Amino acid sequence: MISLDDYVFDVLMRDLVGHDRRPVCFLVYVWLAAESAKRGGDVEISYREMAESIGVSKSSVQGAVSWLLRRKLIGVSRSSVTATPSYSVLSPWRKGGGQEKGKRAKERGLE
């Protein structure tokens, strides 16, 4: 069972789906978080493979990744320009004052 911070569903979902009107961004973020937890680290995957795994178009995934990078919700790295990207899931709400919330979530088994 994959667990995510309460923040993801209480705030981030409404922000991405309602305010930004980008529901695919939320799907990509949650899928990457789940894959990252399963693999125990960054997720190296192409747009095509990610699109097939989530069930959306490749162009939708490209737009979502671009938006999530802009919002600093994911990180991306490549060993070369043409290499398959490796994605890391970021939790910017945990920085500074957000670390206490992360500790409480961990204690409750939500992290």
Side-chain angles (χ1 to χ4, degrees), residues 17 25 34 37 40 43 52 54-55 63-65 72 78-79 89-90 104:
V17 176
C25 291
V43 179
E52 288 174 3
I54 297 171
V65 165
K72 295 181 174 66
R78 291 183 181 92
S79 57
V89 177
L90 307 176
R104 288 193 305 267

Side-chain angles (χ1 to χ4, degrees), residues 24-98:
V24 175
C25 291
F26 182 72
L27 291 173
V28 168
Y29 183 85
V30 170
W31 186 86
L32 280 172
E35 274 301 300
S36 180
K38 283 183 205 172
R39 297 180 186 197
D42 292 352
V43 179
E44 187 175 311
I45 191 165
S46 69
Y47 287 134
R48 182 188 55 78
E49 292 170 312
M50 194 183 315
E52 288 174 3
S53 296
I54 297 171
V56 296
S57 70
K58 186 176 93 170
S59 62
S60 293
V61 168
Q62 288 172 316
V65 165
S66 175
W67 190 256
L68 292 170
L69 284 167
R70 185 178 310 148
R71 294 280 310 268
K72 295 181 174 66
L73 293 168
I74 61 171
V76 65
S77 61
R78 291 183 181 92
S79 57
S80 70
V81 177
T82 58
T84 302
S86 181
Y87 299 97
S88 58
V89 177
L90 307 176
S91 303
W93 56 89
R94 290 188 191 165
K95 291 183 181 174

